[in-house]
């Protein structure tokens, strides 16, 4: 068993490496450039949303007033006429990238802590690289890669986008695994 305090450096370094890798995947490579599509008549739609007073939040259209109303003839007609969608509205102004990047880095640290916890509780000091790689990488992949399929299952996200995010998660998990395997205590 290896304590978390002994693994602080692999936790921190893996978070930094994943943070930088995500920058490469999202900013330098064209992989995610088509994850979102532009709405037709975007300006008119945005003006209509402003006039309606749409505030930041999570929305469904159409949105039934209760679970029982989902199967009412009125709601079924709205669903059939469409469009049907789920979307998020954030505060007006440029997207808060600094805040989002800080939260992403904290998330990377938290994933590193959990990967360290699982590996540290199941492996002893001196465990060979590949075994540390397997355990830490599996724990990291569950965190980085397995949450996004829920967006396709429940929220209609394109499966192609989800597959890209799961692949990103695999890359992040492999980098985390490699860092832990490399820096595992003797």
């Amino acid at each position: 068993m290896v304590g978390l305090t002994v693994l602080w450096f692999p936790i921190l370094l893996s978070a930094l490496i994943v943070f930088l890798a995500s920058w490469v995947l999202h900013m330098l490579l064209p992989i995610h450039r088509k994850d979102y599509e532009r709405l037709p008549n975007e300006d008119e739609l945005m003006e209509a949303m402003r006039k309606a007073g749409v505030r930041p939040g999570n929305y469904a259209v159409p949105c039934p007033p209760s679970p029982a109303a989902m199967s009412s003839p009125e709601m079924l007609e709205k669903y059939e006429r469409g469009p049907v969608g789920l979307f998020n509205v954030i505060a007006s102004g440029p997207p808060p990238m600094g805040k989002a990047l800080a939260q992403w880095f904290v998330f990377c640290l938290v994933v590193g802590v959990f990967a360290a916890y699982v590996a540290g509780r199941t492996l002893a000091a001196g465990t060979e690289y590949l075994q540390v790689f397997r355990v830490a990488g599996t724990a990291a992949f569950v965190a980085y890669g397995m949450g996004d399929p829920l967006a396709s299952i429940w929220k209609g996200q394109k499966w192609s986008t989800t597959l890209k995010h799961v692949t990103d998660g695999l890359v992040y998990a492999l980098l985390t695994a490699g860092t832990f395997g490399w820096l595992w205590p003797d």
Side-chain angles (χ1 to χ4, degrees), residues 4 21 35 70 97 125 147 171 177:
L4 284 177
D35 286 355
M70 286 183 75
M97 290 306 292
V171 170

Side-chain angles (χ1 to χ4, degrees), residues 138-162:
T138 300
F141 181 67
V142 169
Y144 285 127
M146 296 311 297
D148 216 60
L150 295 175
S152 289
I153 294 168
W154 293 108
K155 296 179 181 177
Q157 178 171 278
K158 295 183 297 186
W159 278 101
S160 59
T161 300
T162 295

Side-chain angles (χ1 to χ4, degrees), residues 7-175:
L7 298 173
W8 71 267
F9 188 63
I11 292 168
L12 184 60
L13 186 59
S14 67
L16 181 61
I17 290 170
V18 167
F19 186 84
L20 295 173
S22 71
W23 177 76
V24 169
L25 289 173
H26 287 267
M27 300 306 292
L28 295 183
L29 300 178
I31 299 167
H32 291 284
R33 296 217 174 107
K34 297 201 180 198
D35 286 355
Y36 293 93
E37 296 177 37
R38 186 176 174 92
L39 285 166
N41 301 317
E42 178 182 278
D43 292 336
E44 291 87 357
L45 181 59
M46 289 174 64
E47 183 60 32
M49 291 173 68
R50 277 190 292 276
K51 284 181 182 177
V54 176
R55 302 178 82 60
N58 304 316
Y59 295 93
V61 288
C63 187
S66 70
M70 286 183 75
S71 58
S72 72
E74 296 82 22
M75 284 305 299
L76 293 175
E77 169 64 21
K78 286 183 179 185
Y79 286 130
E80 287 298 322
R81 283 186 40 220
V84 176
L86 302 168
F87 62 97
N88 304 315
V89 175
I90 61 174
S92 295
M97 290 306 292
K99 179 181 176 183
L101 289 171
Q103 291 174 339
W104 169 239
F105 185 72
V106 169
F107 180 77
C108 293
L109 285 171
V110 169
V111 171
V113 167
F114 277 94
Y117 177 79
V118 170
R121 292 295 173 256
T122 59
L123 304 171
T127 300
E128 67 180 43
Y129 174 90
L130 190 55
Q131 187 60 20
V132 174
F133 186 94
R134 285 183 192 128
V135 173
T138 300
F141 181 67
V142 169
Y144 285 127
M146 296 311 297
D148 216 60
L150 295 175
S152 289
I153 294 168
W154 293 108
K155 296 179 181 177
Q157 178 171 278
K158 295 183 297 186
W159 278 101
S160 59
T161 300
T162 295
L163 181 59
K164 289 186 271 184
H165 291 175
V166 171
T167 302
D168 292 349
L170 179 60
V171 170
Y172 305 153
L174 293 172
L175 292 169

